[in-house]
Amino acid sequence: MTDKNNPRPRRLRFEIFRYNPEDPESKPHIETFEIDERPYMTLYMALSEIRETLDASLQFDFACRSAICGSCGMLVNGRPALGCRTLTADLPEEIRLHPLPAFKLIGDLSVDTGIWFREMAERTEAWIHEQLPFDPDAEEQRMSDDIAAAIYEGDRCIECGCCVASCGVANVNPEFLAGAGLNRIARFMMDPRDGRTDADWFEVVAGDQGVFGCVGMMACADVCPKELPLLDVYAYLRRRTLGTKIASG
Amino acid sequence: MTPQVITTDVLVIGGGLAGERCAMEAAAAGQEAVILSLVPPRRSHSCAAQGGMQAALGNCVKAEGDSPQVHFLDTVRGSDWGADQEVANIFAEEAPIAVRELAHFGVPWTRVRGGTNIYFIKGEFVDIEEPLENDGLITHRDFGGTAKWRACYAAAGTGHAALYAVDSEVVRLGITVRDRAEAVSLIHDGTRCHGVVARCLRTGTYFAVMAKATVIATGGYGRIYGGYTTNATINYGTGAALALNTGVVPLGNMEAVQFHPTALSPSGILITEGCRGDGGYLLDKNLHRFMVDAEPEKQELASRDVVSRHMMQCIQDGNGVDSPNGRHLWLDIRHLGEEHLTTKLLEVFDICRDFAGINPAHDLIPVRPTQHYSMGGVRVNKDGEAYGMAGLYAVGEAACWDMHGFNRLGGNSLAETLVAGRVVGARVAEYASGATLHANTGLAFDALNAEEQRTQSLLSREGSSRSVYEIRDSLGEIMIGKVGIFRNGADLSSAVDELKVLIFECDKAVLKQKGPGANPELAFALRLPGMLRLALTVAMGALARTESRGAHFRVDYPLRNDQDWLSRTLVRWQQNAGEPTLSYERVGLMDLPPGHRGYGSDERIEMEASLEEYNEGVLDSQSAEGRLESSEAMGSKLRRYSGGAA
């Protein structure tokens, strides 16, 4: 398809990590696929086309295809990103795709983020520790709109795992909570509905798995598709934790 | 290694808001609950709900005078009188509790700011003084088809915030979630459901879950419209297809399919109704606000079915904007200002940037009506229990409960998930605590074997055929082309024929990949027959319904016909039948007599019978279709709001 308004499309060359742990004959390797670029093509469209026309066994994850559900984190030319909102037009003709590191591989580009995040939520007790049980007849607890907005900012994390995959610490220490985990803690810490004290939080936040395990490379903030202010989050956690330490002597 | 048969008290299929809230209710009552989910639950499509959740708290000035009664009336009018009014009433009464409960679980609802607030209403900026005594309460934004501002919201990420809060509670309660697991058939004996056979999407192995109560919470069937949907790629209508395959359980109102006015063109990604609620305009190619002419009273905020039809008419009249991807219209939110767009509509701002390369503070947004919501689903009574099958329940978009009738109001689905999760969850817990588990492993192994054999026979097909993906694409083209917004007998009839051919073709489709493991092509090939069958129920229901009601619009029968069609379509697919069978029941007891919605056309064919006469026949009509007795008598929750007799 060529005409003067639509110059000859680029031929995209995908180098994709392949490995199916369920197949005893499968060995990790890189496989190359070529397709023509189309206007506004995203990696969701490109990978679907490869699976539907070139290799039906290719595994990857997409759900919302609108950068909301966090399913499709992958390494795009070495950098963690959401496949659904990555436009091929922003990439060179050679596109290398690998699964996110730091998570268990399911197959090809598919990794087990669900288990990682559930374990993180259990470990940090990432739910509101309320002071009183819910009263269906009562008016809602009031909250200033500014605080609600600040909590919402932390709540915007979509648990895609890009920050975890980009983190030098998380890749060698599976216990490290990484950007998503620390952000979640901060979100509950600042929520007036949560009854936990700084002393309660100290155990979770202060150790090697917490904010002081971070060595400050901040790749997490660079790759976060939601552009969460992780630098501010870590500063907030350090301040709150040091405050506890000083207060408790 | 997963055991091949596991047992539990309550099994929930689907880890979105409705399923999780339902499982919580069961767990809180001491029942063991297991959730199966295609994806980690926080990736369920509930997370994509953007603009709000309807609940009549009446906390801001433009919500003054709101009440569950007003919410009920809006919902019934929105449904074009197709709703079960008792269910709509249960819903409207419970919605404020559900919103406050979410606040308790941690949702950071946007709050009232006491003092002067600047809103954009019907084309102009308006200063409104919010009373200081309301400062800090949950606030509201305007949405379509409502008399008051009622949508509670957290920026444009309401579903995300709600789902994360509810999933946090699921984690806290220690409820088992088996993610990457897909239910492939119901285990039942013809009158009672005993659980499901599921396929592990990590390994490709099958397992059975035996349960006292099984809850379908799998969402809608938008993906039968191919890429012409706002829905996630995982919205196959799994649960509805499972129920249909029993041959016993009917689906309700499958032809009632909602098109959302503002999906981004051409990707189909949702742009929330909150944009218009906050003052956004729809513009044609001449940048004219055509909705002001079409609906002088509600303007851009008529119900979705009405706005979508006006938009398609505008395009058909030659006033659409040409683009290489077809014609679209414009959504204009530039006048709301960048600060508003990057806070209260942040997710819209991001979507425009990421998927259209535009800044909505400076650029117009290309939009087009796109399939969005399935009003139809597994037909259940007010307890959420499926017709004809004890121990089987359905909640949320997967169910036809039926509070939406032929058109759902924006923000009512998010509210439904939580309300139905609470209400139905309580009934499920009651049922499960009174029932004993019939761990009939023979039944389970028979069902497991049947699924394994189905897979083997699928894999053993040889020869050449179109791929399952090509068949899927044909399905989408048929549905958007012939079962879309404007429908007519000839197109629907041809859609029915073409779908039957596709079903036949699908039965012979050969796979390219037969390797071990999850095998994504096999996974899709296992789903596709269900999608095709659902599509046929939609097309046949639409062909048979010779009137226009809500989202179902027949150009050859443009009037709502309350004399002949004040009914709910039910569809069953008997074992080994070549096509489904349609039947009809009365919509439910009515309090608000059929009338004008307040927007859209005021012409209709009136019902000759009195409301009393209609209501007298409801119980018999529904019982004859297999409605199981509800825990409280029919009508116990119907209020007399309108003066109509119940």
Side-chain angles (χ1 to χ4, degrees), chain A residues 20 22-24 40 42 44-45 51-72 84-87 104 106 110-115 117-118 121-122 126-130 132-149 151-153 155-161 184 187-188 191 193 225-227, chain B residues 39-40 42-43 45 47-48 50 57 59 97 100-101 103-113 132-138 154-158 160-161 164 168-172 174-177 179-180 201-203 223 227 229-234 267-269 325 344 346-347 350-351 353-356 422 467 469 472-473 512-513 516-521:
Chain A
N20 178 5
E22 294 297 315
D23 181 354
Y40 301 106
T42 63
Y44 160 61
M45 299 174 197
R51 175 151 87 193
E52 292 172 14
T53 62
L54 299 175
D55 188 336
S57 70
L58 184 62
Q59 294 187 61
F60 50 78
D61 296 317
F62 289 96
C64 76
R65 54 84 170 91
S66 55
I68 289 167
C69 78
S71 292
C72 62
C84 70
R85 68 160 208 174
T86 301
L87 293 165
K104 184 176 178 232
I106 290 174
S110 176
V111 295
D112 213 331
T113 50
I115 300 286
F117 279 99
R118 168 102 185 201
E122 286 168 357
W127 53 82
I128 295 281
H129 290 49
E130 73 276 52
L132 292 167
F134 177 62
D135 176 358
D137 299 320
E139 184 181 278
E140 64 271 23
Q141 185 182 330
R142 291 183 188 232
M143 179 186 281
S144 87
D145 193 44
D146 287 335
I147 290 180
I151 297 168
Y152 181 73
E153 181 68 4
D155 227 16
R156 291 196 307 113
C157 169
I158 57 172
E159 299 192 346
C160 61
R184 184 118 335 247
R187 175 252 174 272
F188 284 102
D191 195 322
R193 294 166 293 198
K226 291 283 144 184
E227 297 168 47
Chain B
V39 291
R42 293 182 184 201
R43 314 211 187 290
H45 197 48
C47 80
Q50 294 177 4
L57 301 174
N59 283 341
I97 299 171
R100 288 179 172 138
E101 184 184 61
H104 188 77
F105 294 156
V107 169
W109 296 113
T110 302
R111 301 291 174 139
V112 175
R113 287 179 181 264
L132 290 174
E133 66 261 29
N134 290 346
D135 189 79
L137 294 174
I138 295 167
T158 313
H160 167 90
Y164 273 52
S168 295
E169 295 296 311
V170 165
V171 175
R172 163 199 232 168
I175 294 170
T176 301
V177 180
D179 69 6
R180 295 177 186 267
L201 298 176
R202 289 182 176 81
T203 62
R223 280 281 152 181
T229 177
T230 63
N231 286 187
T233 63
I234 53 174
S267 65
I269 293 172
N325 299 297
K344 301 229 157 74
L346 172 62
E347 286 67 22
D350 286 351
I351 285 168
R353 179 195 61 195
D354 294 347
F355 296 95
R422 288 168 52 89
S467 75
Y469 302 114
R472 172 206 63 192
D473 290 345
K512 293 174 181 151
Q513 270 299 326
N519 190 343
E521 187 192 25

Side-chain angles (χ1 to χ4, degrees), chain A residues 149 152-153 156, chain B residues 155-156 333 336-350 353 359-361:
Chain A
Y152 181 73
E153 181 68 4
R156 291 196 307 113
Chain B
I333 52 175
L336 303 183
E338 188 144 345
E339 196 202 326
H340 186 94
L341 300 186
T342 53
T343 53
K344 301 229 157 74
L345 292 169
L346 172 62
E347 286 67 22
V348 171
F349 188 89
D350 286 351
R353 179 195 61 195
N359 177 344

Side-chain angles (χ1 to χ4, degrees), chain A:
Chain A
M1 290 273 286
T2 55
D3 64 65
K4 61 179 186 264
N5 296 321
N6 187 11
R8 191 179 177 76
R10 290 197 301 171
R11 187 78 177 157
L12 300 176
R13 188 180 151 89
F14 286 88
E15 294 180 3
I16 300 178
F17 173 88
R18 302 299 308 273
Y19 176 51
N20 178 5
E22 294 297 315
D23 181 354
E25 297 187 0
S26 174
K27 298 267 186 297
H29 64 287
I30 301 292
E31 201 165 332
T32 304
F33 301 95
E34 291 192 8
I35 57 171
D36 284 339
E37 185 170 39
R38 286 181 285 118
Y40 301 106
M41 187 178 238
T42 63
L43 290 182
Y44 160 61
M45 299 174 197
L47 285 167
S48 298
E49 186 173 329
I50 291 170
R51 175 151 87 193
E52 292 172 14
T53 62
L54 299 175
D55 188 336
S57 70
L58 184 62
Q59 294 187 61
F60 50 78
D61 296 317
F62 289 96
C64 76
R65 54 84 170 91
S66 55
I68 289 167
C69 78
S71 292
C72 62
M74 58 184 73
L75 290 186
V76 181
N77 288 337
R79 186 184 169 91
L82 295 181
C84 70
R85 68 160 208 174
T86 301
L87 293 165
T88 56
D90 294 335
L91 300 171
E93 284 169 18
E94 308 237 326
I95 300 168
R96 279 174 293 117
L97 302 178
H98 289 78
L100 286 185
F103 297 100
K104 184 176 178 232
L105 182 75
I106 290 174
D108 301 336
L109 300 176
S110 176
V111 295
D112 213 331
T113 50
I115 300 286
W116 195 96
F117 279 99
R118 168 102 185 201
E119 280 173 2
M120 182 273 280
E122 286 168 357
R123 226 150 36 97
T124 58
E125 301 191 5
W127 53 82
I128 295 281
H129 290 49
E130 73 276 52
Q131 289 102 335
L132 292 167
F134 177 62
D135 176 358
D137 299 320
E139 184 181 278
E140 64 271 23
Q141 185 182 330
R142 291 183 188 232
M143 179 186 281
S144 87
D145 193 44
D146 287 335
I147 290 180
I151 297 168
Y152 181 73
E153 181 68 4
D155 227 16
R156 291 196 307 113
C157 169
I158 57 172
E159 299 192 346
C160 61
C162 286
C163 60
V164 183
S166 74
C167 175
V169 180
N171 270 281
V172 294
N173 175 9
E175 300 288 300
F176 184 57
L177 292 167
L182 294 170
N183 177 67
R184 184 118 335 247
I185 289 170
R187 175 252 174 272
F188 284 102
M189 222 180 221
M190 70 173 71
D191 195 322
R193 294 166 293 198
D194 196 298
R196 279 174 283 189
T197 63
D198 284 351
D200 295 331
W201 283 116
F202 189 79
E203 288 290 306
V204 190
V205 185
D208 281 350
Q209 83 279 16
V211 72
F212 295 104
C214 168
V215 297
M217 292 185 283
M218 296 311 294
C220 48
D222 291 342
V223 302
C224 175
K226 291 283 144 184
E227 297 168 47
L228 293 175
L230 294 172
L231 199 59
D232 297 344
V233 168
Y234 303 161
Y236 170 80
L237 289 173
R238 288 195 177 99
R239 221 168 38 240
R240 288 278 299 251
T241 314
L242 288 173
T244 314
K245 194 69 191 155
I246 292 161
S248 63

Side-chain angles (χ1 to χ4, degrees), chain B residues 90-230:
Chain B
I90 293 170
F91 161 75
E93 292 281 347
E94 285 268 331
I97 299 171
V99 160
R100 288 179 172 138
E101 184 184 61
L102 283 183
H104 188 77
F105 294 156
V107 169
W109 296 113
T110 302
R111 301 291 174 139
V112 175
R113 287 179 181 264
T116 308
N117 286 250
I118 303 166
Y119 300 114
F120 201 88
I121 303 171
K122 288 191 180 173
E124 55 191 34
F125 284 107
V126 181
D127 282 2
I128 289 181
E129 200 68 19
E130 296 291 353
L132 290 174
E133 66 261 29
N134 290 346
D135 189 79
L137 294 174
I138 295 167
T139 196
H140 307 280
R141 66 166 29 132
D142 203 2
F143 250 55
T146 62
K148 303 285 176 186
W149 289 20
R150 187 181 299 130
C152 309
Y153 63 101
T158 313
H160 167 90
L163 183 60
Y164 273 52
V166 168
D167 188 60
S168 295
E169 295 296 311
V170 165
V171 175
R172 163 199 232 168
L173 290 165
I175 294 170
T176 301
V177 180
R178 297 276 308 248
D179 69 6
R180 295 177 186 267
E182 178 165 8
V184 290
S185 69
L186 293 175
I187 301 170
H188 67 95
D189 56 22
T191 56
R192 182 164 171 186
C193 183
H194 299 281
V196 302
V197 175
R199 184 169 182 268
C200 173
L201 298 176
R202 289 182 176 81
T203 62
T205 52
Y206 287 97
F207 60 98
V209 186
M210 302 291 282
K212 293 192 253 183
T214 301
V215 184
I216 291 172
T218 51
Y221 43 87
R223 280 281 152 181
I224 66 173
Y225 283 81
Y228 306 98
T229 177
T230 63

